[in-house]
Amino acid sequence: MGVSAATERNEGKTILIIGAAGGVGSIATQLAKHAGMTVIGTASRPKSAEWAKNMGADHIINHYEAFLPQLKALGLEHVDYIFCLNSTEKHWVNMAEAIAPQGKICSIVETDELLDLTLLKNKSVTFAWELMFTRPLFQTADMIEQHNLLNEVSRMIDEGRLRTTVAQILSPINAANLRKAHAILEEGRMTGKIVIENFE
């Protein structure tokens, strides 16, 4: 499907991206905007909110507060789609409240806690897991699509339609910088992605 067809199909649709300032969220925000959606990103700090806005988010809400009142303050009764990139179990009730009837929720974050799927029943909401390695892991019939998708993203970056999510570069590649990068990630407050380059 071409960009214009996707834009037309998604006109008026809303997506909530939980963790919009992270590496995946930064790309997801841009792709959702290219698809014609209104993007509501979550962020809890001015720096991450600014990053998400620069990536194309139309609105920002705080993921440490209840979603629905914040959405209503923006004039939204619900959202059509939710893409969860942080703490699926922590945001589960908020997602169930914020999603539109017949809406769709997708998460890439595993959980050790049981999720109450009955919260989605009355709205007939679809929930899906997404793992980028599913195709190669199970050698599915459409395994080549991973290659096609990555090539398309690469083309969009080369053409300037997508921005990379590199926020910090550490050099050279050594034990000290590996420890530093790991410490930054462990804080859970990273915007974009860290790149470590150049072997000593």
Side-chain angles (χ1 to χ4, degrees), residues 30 34 153-164:
Q30 294 177 76
H34 278 288
V153 169
S154 178
R155 275 192 296 273
M156 292 178 78
I157 289 173
D158 287 344
E159 294 168 1
R161 293 187 289 149
L162 283 183
R163 293 170 53 192
T164 69

Side-chain angles (χ1 to χ4, degrees), residues 161-179:
R161 293 187 289 149
L162 283 183
R163 293 170 53 192
T164 69
T165 62
V166 176
Q168 188 171 355
I169 297 174
L170 301 177
S171 182
I173 299 173
N174 58 26
N177 278 329
L178 286 170
R179 283 193 296 270

